[in-house]
Amino acid sequence: MTVKKVALLTAGGFAPCLSTAISGLIQRYTEVAPEVEIIAYKHGYEGLLKGDFLEVTDTVRKNAEILKRFGGSPIGNSRVKLTNAADLVKRGLVDEGDDPLKVAADRLVADGVDVLHTIGGDDTNTTAADLAAYLAEHDYGLTVVGLPKTIDNDVIPIRQSLGAWTAAEQGSRFAQNIVGEHNSGSRMLIVHEVMGRNCGWLTAATAAKYREWLDSQQWLPEIGLSKEAWDVHAVYVPEAHIDLEAEAARLNKVMDEIGNVTIFLSEGAGLDAIIEEMEKAGQEVPRDPFGHVKLDKVNPGAWFGKQFAEKLGAEKVMVQKSGYFSRSAASNEADLELIGRCTDLAVDCALAGKPGVIGQDEENGDELTNIAFDRIKGGKPFDTKTDWFVTMLDEIGQAH
């Protein structure tokens, strides 16, 4: 297969890897196949459907390293599902009666694209899988190579999603300032809501990173600077049942002894209970084009804050969300290294005509390889029996 032109797109929510991944792909192509043209569709699949793209010029190639200093995505994201025709018609991206997969495929052909690189999470890559299957079935002769982006770290069967390490580190930085508010009132309740719809990995990893920071500090309890007051007192993830009454009794003791309580909460923890309450009240549950509950509308942090405030007799409640702070950060050193290896392999696979999603395959000894699209799924649960997580819960006195 001769590759003359490749296209890049980023899609879904942001993660601290998108700008770095774009940089890595551009640099690798420039290094091993400088003759290949590169374009970047603006705002993900939306730009693909509209034929709206940027050309990667010589100036961009020479200065691609700059992109690694920034978070976000310079080419823009959107949430588009190519098999949800009704939504795309409503948004004016396709005409009534059109097959969005055919529209996308024909646009790639019209733009002269031989390889499409998708950078996104499970929704992005399952959409890429739908497109790749359509291209193969209809003999379009295009190759799709994906990169796994999600701060939730919940893509099956990938060991470590790009950007997740950075997101945990940034969530810890966010918490260092937020938890500092614990003395801004008496009997203070702080709820740090962390992104994670179905998977608690990010919440757990953020709490672990934050507690690493705690262990590195000096304390002066004689004047009220107490490690116990700055600590995390509960970590709630979607994979574990939350016994509100039992936890309220435990945390009441913490509140009485220390004077404040800090909870790290996955936004998807206890979501079923919240939805059930909304439906009983006759309220509509807002959902996105993929059918996911719009968590920013449901507001789990506020719900848990209200539940525990009443049970703990909190005089002041603060609910803070670190998601947008974390997900739009520039990649840290660990992610830079992982992303670099993944983008190098992505280009090599693309030039060899090997489709798939690049990642460490948990089902094959964590080998970094191109994983077949039909093996990619979302919703990988966090293993709550993981040693470091169990140890953390034991240290804060939380049942597991």
Side-chain angles (χ1 to χ4, degrees):
M1 172 183 174
T2 300
V3 177
K4 295 181 179 179
K5 182 185 282 189
V6 303
L8 321 176
L9 67 78
T10 58
F14 278 172
C17 65
L18 299 176
S19 194
T20 297
I22 293 168
S23 172
L25 290 170
I26 293 171
Q27 288 180 311
R28 182 64 172 174
Y29 273 112
T30 301
E31 176 188 355
V32 301
E35 73 283 358
V36 173
E37 293 181 59
I38 307 172
I39 63 172
Y41 286 109
K42 297 171 66 176
H43 300 290
Y45 292 109
E46 178 180 320
L48 171 55
L49 291 171
K50 294 162 63 175
D52 187 11
F53 60 82
L54 299 166
E55 293 185 10
V56 176
T57 63
D58 288 342
T59 298
V60 174
R61 287 176 184 266
K62 291 175 184 176
N63 295 281
E65 185 72 19
I66 293 173
L67 296 176
K68 295 178 182 177
R69 305 174 193 168
F70 292 85
S73 172
I75 60 177
N77 283 30
S78 65
R79 292 189 183 277
V80 169
K81 187 174 180 66
L82 292 179
T83 53
N84 189 343
D87 176 67
L88 299 180
V89 170
K90 182 179 178 181
R91 294 163 66 175
L93 296 176
V94 300
D95 294 329
E96 187 74 46
D98 282 347
D99 180 349
L101 288 169
K102 186 176 189 304
V103 173
D106 289 345
R107 172 55 61 184
L108 288 167
V109 171
D111 292 339
V113 173
D114 302 303
V115 173
L116 174 65
H117 286 286
T118 59
I119 310 166
D122 57 295
D123 287 334
T124 299
N125 283 309
T126 51
T127 295
D130 293 332
L131 180 56
Y134 184 91
L135 293 169
E137 182 182 349
H138 295 85
D139 298 319
Y140 275 81
L142 278 79
T143 302
V144 183
V145 180
L147 288 166
K149 165 242 59 160
T150 170
I151 60 176
D152 296 349
N153 197 28
D154 65 345
V155 179
I156 299 170
I158 292 170
R159 168 68 62 186
Q160 188 67 33
S161 297
L162 310 185
W165 281 326
T166 304
E169 181 179 270
Q170 291 293 320
S172 168
R173 286 187 57 195
F174 181 91
Q176 290 163 30
N177 286 3
I178 295 304
V179 179
E181 289 279 337
H182 70 270
N183 266 342
S184 63
S186 58
R187 294 189 74 82
M188 179 78 167
L189 171 63
I190 295 175
V191 179
H192 175 197
E193 185 178 334
V194 183
M195 283 185 169
R197 177 185 302 278
N198 301 308
C199 178
W201 181 90
L202 181 59
T203 302
T206 300
K209 274 289 180 187
Y210 175 76
R211 297 189 81 242
E212 282 181 19
W213 174 78
L214 286 182
D215 288 340
S216 72
Q217 304 305 306
Q218 290 182 297
W219 304 97
L220 197 59
E222 292 81 359
I223 193 64
L225 185 62
S226 159
K227 181 180 178 182
E228 289 73 21
W230 280 77
D231 207 346
V232 180
H233 305 116
V235 182
Y236 300 136
V237 296
E239 294 84 354
H241 172 69
I242 305 170
D243 186 331
L244 281 175
E245 296 305 322
E247 279 296 281
R250 179 180 73 86
L251 294 175
N252 241 321
K253 295 178 182 177
V254 175
M255 183 72 87
D256 290 342
E257 293 172 7
I258 297 174
N260 64 282
V261 166
T262 295
I263 296 170
F264 277 40
L265 170 77
S266 288
E267 61 184 356
L271 187 59
D272 290 344
I274 299 172
I275 292 173
E276 182 180 352
E277 184 177 283
M278 290 180 68
E279 290 176 340
K280 281 183 178 178
Q283 298 175 311
E284 182 181 353
V285 180
R287 298 180 184 275
D288 68 14
F290 290 88
H292 301 318
V293 174
K294 291 185 176 180
L295 294 171
D296 59 330
K297 304 294 185 184
V298 173
N299 208 344
W303 189 87
F304 273 95
K306 180 181 178 182
Q307 300 295 316
F308 278 111
E310 295 173 356
K311 298 177 185 298
L312 303 182
E315 295 185 14
K316 186 175 180 181
V317 181
M318 174 183 284
V319 179
Q320 292 291 316
K321 304 179 182 183
S322 62
Y324 293 107
F325 177 86
S326 299
R327 77 178 199 168
S328 57
S331 307
N332 68 8
E333 289 299 321
D335 268 316
L336 283 169
E337 191 276 334
L338 177 60
I339 295 165
R341 288 193 290 128
C342 288
T343 53
D344 282 357
L345 182 57
V347 171
D348 294 346
C349 286
L351 293 173
K354 297 178 179 178
V357 179
I358 306 301
Q360 299 156 303
D361 188 346
E362 289 185 302
E363 296 170 5
N364 288 292
D366 291 342
E367 178 187 1
L368 185 64
T369 186
N370 58 319
I371 301 169
F373 276 106
D374 61 9
R375 293 180 55 212
I376 300 296
K377 299 179 179 66
K380 180 177 75 173
F382 170 59
D383 182 2
T384 57
K385 300 300 182 184
T386 300
D387 288 344
W388 59 265
F389 184 64
V390 171
T391 298
M392 179 167 63
L393 295 189
D394 286 340
E395 289 175 352
I396 67 177
Q398 182 176 332
H400 53 84

